[in-house]
Amino acid sequence: MGENGIAGRLGRGGAACGTARRLWKMILTAALLLGAFAAFAPPKAGACSCALPPPLAEDAASKTAVFSGTVLEIVEPDRGGVWSGADPVYVRFDVDTVWKGVDESQAIVTTRASSDSCGYDRFELGRAYVVFAHGSPDGLETGLCTRTAPLEEAGDTVTGLGPGAKPTKPVDLTIRAPASSLPEEPPGAPEAPEAFGGRHYALAAALLVFALVWAGVRGKKR
């Protein structure tokens, strides 16, 4: 075999090694960049993070209504198969004890459907609760980041609130309107931001791989 043949084979072998090295560099770079995406991506928008509540007296003073009562009705709007954790849920209570803000025998409180969206999703028909509600008197709202809790778990709260009063105005607030006609969001509820999730990572990965392959092809042509 002549020197030219040997040199040609060595050259092709060197080029192949160089291509393999470039490929591994691209793969390593892609892995590092995807790791950086995962490390510095904002937290999932649906996750709810609650601060520590203020002292009980201060907390009650800041709320529109504080009462205990039994759940009579839970109504979720009809979304036609499309569901979101931020959807409003309407809960009707038979009011038993009032510490603030309610004088009727029943009250309707709005919350979000999922605790991921800071909604209180532990309401059950026939169960009694202590409710801490904000909002307007005609648009009471509660959520995960309040002292709202099942009555049997709220002994310290009830003791701290002291003796309450009984509601003075008998009413029937049955939610007779079709669920689909109820407001889509609680009054003043902020729009839930879209989470930075799987499809964003997939798009970033696809663009990154395309850019690296294009750069590799361009480098090879040179």
Side-chain angles (χ1 to χ4, degrees):
M1 181 181 294
E3 292 183 0
N4 290 337
I6 295 174
R9 288 192 176 187
L10 291 175
R12 287 193 296 273
C17 289
T19 300
R21 283 196 296 271
R22 285 196 299 272
L23 178 61
W24 278 110
K25 285 181 180 179
M26 287 189 291
I27 293 174
L28 179 59
T29 301
L32 291 173
L33 289 175
L34 287 176
F37 271 122
F40 294 100
K44 184 181 177 182
C48 180
S49 178
C50 300
L52 290 174
L56 178 58
E58 180 182 341
D59 193 13
S62 69
K63 295 298 185 287
T64 307
V66 180
F67 66 91
S68 68
T70 301
V71 175
L72 297 175
E73 188 178 12
I74 300 175
V75 177
E76 300 180 8
D78 180 8
R79 298 294 183 175
V82 179
W83 185 89
S84 168
D87 286 346
V89 174
Y90 301 85
V91 185
R92 180 168 62 96
F93 291 89
D94 179 26
V95 178
D96 178 60
T97 303
V98 178
W99 288 277
K100 181 182 180 182
V102 175
D103 59 2
E104 297 180 335
S105 61
Q106 294 185 9
I108 295 177
V109 178
T110 305
T111 190
R112 290 177 181 261
S114 171
S115 58
D116 285 342
S117 297
C118 295
Y120 189 84
D121 56 7
R122 296 181 61 193
F123 287 127
E124 299 174 12
L125 288 173
R127 194 174 186 184
Y129 295 81
V130 172
V131 179
F132 282 67
H134 55 276
S136 67
D138 295 327
L140 296 176
E141 305 172 42
T142 193
L144 183 67
C145 300
T146 69
R147 279 188 164 89
T148 295
L151 185 61
E152 70 270 16
E153 299 176 11
D156 291 342
T157 299
V158 172
T159 300
L161 288 171
K166 295 296 180 181
T168 58
K169 297 180 181 179
V171 293
D172 180 2
L173 299 181
T174 300
I175 305 173
R176 297 186 177 88
S180 59
S181 71
L182 294 172
E184 293 189 354
E185 292 290 340
E191 182 179 354
E194 183 181 5
F196 189 93
R199 68 187 186 92
H200 298 86
Y201 288 122
L203 179 59
L207 291 174
L208 179 61
V209 170
F210 175 80
L212 290 174
V213 170
W214 181 80
V217 172
R218 293 272 297 181
K220 187 176 180 179
K221 287 183 178 180
R222 293 177 183 175

PDB file of all heavy atoms in Angstrom, residues 5-23 220:
ATOM      1  N   GLY A   5      -2.147   6.085   0.041  1.00  0.00           N
ATOM      2  CA  GLY A   5      -3.271   5.305   0.560  1.00  0.00           C
ATOM      3  C   GLY A   5      -3.302   5.317   2.072  1.00  0.00           C
ATOM      4  O   GLY A   5      -4.356   5.440   2.706  1.00  0.00           O
ATOM      5  N   ILE A   6      -2.117   5.137   2.693  1.00  0.00           N
ATOM      6  CA  ILE A   6      -2.054   5.144   4.152  1.00  0.00           C
ATOM      7  C   ILE A   6      -2.447   6.506   4.703  1.00  0.00           C
ATOM      8  O   ILE A   6      -3.218   6.639   5.658  1.00  0.00           O
ATOM      9  CB  ILE A   6      -0.635   4.753   4.629  1.00  0.00           C
ATOM     10  CG1 ILE A   6      -0.339   3.310   4.233  1.00  0.00           C
ATOM     11  CG2 ILE A   6      -0.509   4.937   6.137  1.00  0.00           C
ATOM     12  CD1 ILE A   6       1.087   2.891   4.527  1.00  0.00           C
ATOM     13  N   ALA A   7      -1.948   7.542   4.071  1.00  0.00           N
ATOM     14  CA  ALA A   7      -2.268   8.905   4.523  1.00  0.00           C
ATOM     15  C   ALA A   7      -3.760   9.185   4.393  1.00  0.00           C
ATOM     16  O   ALA A   7      -4.375   9.832   5.248  1.00  0.00           O
ATOM     17  CB  ALA A   7      -1.447   9.929   3.717  1.00  0.00           C
ATOM     18  N   GLY A   8      -4.363   8.663   3.275  1.00  0.00           N
ATOM     19  CA  GLY A   8      -5.786   8.886   3.076  1.00  0.00           C
ATOM     20  C   GLY A   8      -6.615   8.225   4.168  1.00  0.00           C
ATOM     21  O   GLY A   8      -7.557   8.797   4.692  1.00  0.00           O
ATOM     22  N   ARG A   9      -6.192   6.961   4.504  1.00  0.00           N
ATOM     23  CA  ARG A   9      -6.932   6.265   5.558  1.00  0.00           C
ATOM     24  C   ARG A   9      -6.765   6.969   6.903  1.00  0.00           C
ATOM     25  O   ARG A   9      -7.722   7.104   7.682  1.00  0.00           O
ATOM     26  CB  ARG A   9      -6.449   4.829   5.674  1.00  0.00           C
ATOM     27  CG  ARG A   9      -6.886   3.960   4.514  1.00  0.00           C
ATOM     28  CD  ARG A   9      -6.647   2.505   4.814  1.00  0.00           C
ATOM     29  NE  ARG A   9      -7.148   1.680   3.740  1.00  0.00           N
ATOM     30  CZ  ARG A   9      -7.190   0.352   3.804  1.00  0.00           C
ATOM     31  NH1 ARG A   9      -6.759  -0.272   4.883  1.00  0.00           N
ATOM     32  NH2 ARG A   9      -7.653  -0.341   2.791  1.00  0.00           N
ATOM     33  N   LEU A  10      -5.552   7.392   7.185  1.00  0.00           N
ATOM     34  CA  LEU A  10      -5.324   8.113   8.439  1.00  0.00           C
ATOM     35  C   LEU A  10      -6.125   9.408   8.489  1.00  0.00           C
ATOM     36  O   LEU A  10      -6.675   9.794   9.523  1.00  0.00           O
ATOM     37  CB  LEU A  10      -3.834   8.407   8.614  1.00  0.00           C
ATOM     38  CG  LEU A  10      -2.936   7.188   8.884  1.00  0.00           C
ATOM     39  CD1 LEU A  10      -1.472   7.601   8.914  1.00  0.00           C
ATOM     40  CD2 LEU A  10      -3.323   6.533  10.218  1.00  0.00           C
ATOM     41  N   GLY A  11      -6.188  10.071   7.327  1.00  0.00           N
ATOM     42  CA  GLY A  11      -6.950  11.323   7.282  1.00  0.00           C
ATOM     43  C   GLY A  11      -8.420  11.099   7.533  1.00  0.00           C
ATOM     44  O   GLY A  11      -9.067  11.833   8.271  1.00  0.00           O
ATOM     45  N   ARG A  12      -8.946   9.997   6.878  1.00  0.00           N
ATOM     46  CA  ARG A  12     -10.370   9.704   7.094  1.00  0.00           C
ATOM     47  C   ARG A  12     -10.646   9.298   8.535  1.00  0.00           C
ATOM     48  O   ARG A  12     -11.659   9.651   9.127  1.00  0.00           O
ATOM     49  CB  ARG A  12     -10.817   8.602   6.133  1.00  0.00           C
ATOM     50  CG  ARG A  12     -10.947   9.066   4.683  1.00  0.00           C
ATOM     51  CD  ARG A  12     -11.696   8.040   3.844  1.00  0.00           C
ATOM     52  NE  ARG A  12     -10.960   6.775   3.762  1.00  0.00           N
ATOM     53  CZ  ARG A  12     -10.020   6.514   2.847  1.00  0.00           C
ATOM     54  NH1 ARG A  12      -9.688   7.436   1.949  1.00  0.00           N
ATOM     55  NH2 ARG A  12      -9.426   5.345   2.825  1.00  0.00           N
ATOM     56  N   GLY A  13      -9.699   8.528   9.115  1.00  0.00           N
ATOM     57  CA  GLY A  13      -9.859   8.129  10.509  1.00  0.00           C
ATOM     58  C   GLY A  13      -9.827   9.330  11.435  1.00  0.00           C
ATOM     59  O   GLY A  13     -10.610   9.442  12.389  1.00  0.00           O
ATOM     60  N   GLY A  14      -8.911  10.276  11.142  1.00  0.00           N
ATOM     61  CA  GLY A  14      -8.843  11.483  11.965  1.00  0.00           C
ATOM     62  C   GLY A  14     -10.095  12.319  11.839  1.00  0.00           C
ATOM     63  O   GLY A  14     -10.603  12.873  12.822  1.00  0.00           O
ATOM     64  N   ALA A  15     -10.623  12.394  10.608  1.00  0.00           N
ATOM     65  CA  ALA A  15     -11.852  13.163  10.415  1.00  0.00           C
ATOM     66  C   ALA A  15     -13.015  12.528  11.161  1.00  0.00           C
ATOM     67  O   ALA A  15     -13.854  13.214  11.756  1.00  0.00           O
ATOM     68  CB  ALA A  15     -12.178  13.260   8.913  1.00  0.00           C
ATOM     69  N   ALA A  16     -13.068  11.165  11.125  1.00  0.00           N
ATOM     70  CA  ALA A  16     -14.144  10.474  11.847  1.00  0.00           C
ATOM     71  C   ALA A  16     -14.044  10.720  13.344  1.00  0.00           C
ATOM     72  O   ALA A  16     -15.048  10.953  14.023  1.00  0.00           O
ATOM     73  CB  ALA A  16     -14.083   8.968  11.549  1.00  0.00           C
ATOM     74  N   CYS A  17     -12.816  10.672  13.860  1.00  0.00           N
ATOM     75  CA  CYS A  17     -12.629  10.941  15.289  1.00  0.00           C
ATOM     76  C   CYS A  17     -13.036  12.372  15.629  1.00  0.00           C
ATOM     77  O   CYS A  17     -13.655  12.634  16.664  1.00  0.00           O
ATOM     78  CB  CYS A  17     -11.163  10.711  15.685  1.00  0.00           C
ATOM     79  SG  CYS A  17     -10.696   8.957  15.679  1.00  0.00           S
ATOM     80  N   GLY A  18     -12.678  13.301  14.716  1.00  0.00           N
ATOM     81  CA  GLY A  18     -13.051  14.686  14.955  1.00  0.00           C
ATOM     82  C   GLY A  18     -14.558  14.868  14.957  1.00  0.00           C
ATOM     83  O   GLY A  18     -15.113  15.599  15.773  1.00  0.00           O
ATOM     84  N   THR A  19     -15.255  14.180  14.039  1.00  0.00           N
ATOM     85  CA  THR A  19     -16.717  14.258  13.986  1.00  0.00           C
ATOM     86  C   THR A  19     -17.341  13.690  15.249  1.00  0.00           C
ATOM     87  O   THR A  19     -18.286  14.254  15.804  1.00  0.00           O
ATOM     88  CB  THR A  19     -17.237  13.492  12.759  1.00  0.00           C
ATOM     89  OG1 THR A  19     -16.679  14.073  11.572  1.00  0.00           O
ATOM     90  CG2 THR A  19     -18.759  13.547  12.685  1.00  0.00           C
ATOM     91  N   ALA A  20     -16.795  12.548  15.705  1.00  0.00           N
ATOM     92  CA  ALA A  20     -17.315  11.939  16.937  1.00  0.00           C
ATOM     93  C   ALA A  20     -17.116  12.861  18.130  1.00  0.00           C
ATOM     94  O   ALA A  20     -17.997  12.994  18.987  1.00  0.00           O
ATOM     95  CB  ALA A  20     -16.629  10.598  17.180  1.00  0.00           C
ATOM     96  N   ARG A  21     -15.933  13.494  18.188  1.00  0.00           N
ATOM     97  CA  ARG A  21     -15.678  14.419  19.298  1.00  0.00           C
ATOM     98  C   ARG A  21     -16.642  15.591  19.265  1.00  0.00           C
ATOM     99  O   ARG A  21     -17.151  16.023  20.298  1.00  0.00           O
ATOM    100  CB  ARG A  21     -14.230  14.914  19.256  1.00  0.00           C
ATOM    101  CG  ARG A  21     -13.220  13.901  19.761  1.00  0.00           C
ATOM    102  CD  ARG A  21     -11.887  14.572  20.051  1.00  0.00           C
ATOM    103  NE  ARG A  21     -11.279  15.112  18.844  1.00  0.00           N
ATOM    104  CZ  ARG A  21     -10.451  14.425  18.046  1.00  0.00           C
ATOM    105  NH1 ARG A  21     -10.142  13.169  18.352  1.00  0.00           N
ATOM    106  NH2 ARG A  21      -9.933  14.972  16.992  1.00  0.00           N
ATOM    107  N   ARG A  22     -16.897  16.138  18.058  1.00  0.00           N
ATOM    108  CA  ARG A  22     -17.840  17.247  17.942  1.00  0.00           C
ATOM    109  C   ARG A  22     -19.245  16.826  18.364  1.00  0.00           C
ATOM    110  O   ARG A  22     -19.970  17.567  19.029  1.00  0.00           O
ATOM    111  CB  ARG A  22     -17.867  17.797  16.509  1.00  0.00           C
ATOM    112  CG  ARG A  22     -16.648  18.638  16.138  1.00  0.00           C
ATOM    113  CD  ARG A  22     -16.921  19.454  14.881  1.00  0.00           C
ATOM    114  NE  ARG A  22     -17.210  18.602  13.745  1.00  0.00           N
ATOM    115  CZ  ARG A  22     -16.296  18.103  12.933  1.00  0.00           C
ATOM    116  NH1 ARG A  22     -15.013  18.378  13.151  1.00  0.00           N
ATOM    117  NH2 ARG A  22     -16.639  17.339  11.908  1.00  0.00           N
ATOM    118  N   LEU A  23     -19.634  15.585  17.992  1.00  0.00           N
ATOM    119  CA  LEU A  23     -20.955  15.083  18.349  1.00  0.00           C
ATOM    120  C   LEU A  23     -21.093  14.971  19.867  1.00  0.00           C
ATOM    121  O   LEU A  23     -22.100  15.383  20.442  1.00  0.00           O
ATOM    122  CB  LEU A  23     -21.192  13.729  17.690  1.00  0.00           C
ATOM    123  CG  LEU A  23     -22.537  13.053  18.012  1.00  0.00           C
ATOM    124  CD1 LEU A  23     -23.690  13.939  17.547  1.00  0.00           C
ATOM    125  CD2 LEU A  23     -22.618  11.682  17.339  1.00  0.00           C
ATOM    126  N   LYS A 220     -18.715  21.073   9.708  1.00  0.00           N
ATOM    127  CA  LYS A 220     -18.191  20.001   8.886  1.00  0.00           C
ATOM    128  C   LYS A 220     -17.912  20.476   7.468  1.00  0.00           C
ATOM    129  O   LYS A 220     -16.940  20.061   6.826  1.00  0.00           O
ATOM    130  CB  LYS A 220     -19.185  18.845   8.897  1.00  0.00           C
ATOM    131  CG  LYS A 220     -18.665  17.591   8.213  1.00  0.00           C
ATOM    132  CD  LYS A 220     -19.667  16.450   8.360  1.00  0.00           C
ATOM    133  CE  LYS A 220     -19.121  15.200   7.671  1.00  0.00           C
ATOM    134  NZ  LYS A 220     -20.058  14.064   7.813  1.00  0.00           N
TER     135      LYS A 220
END
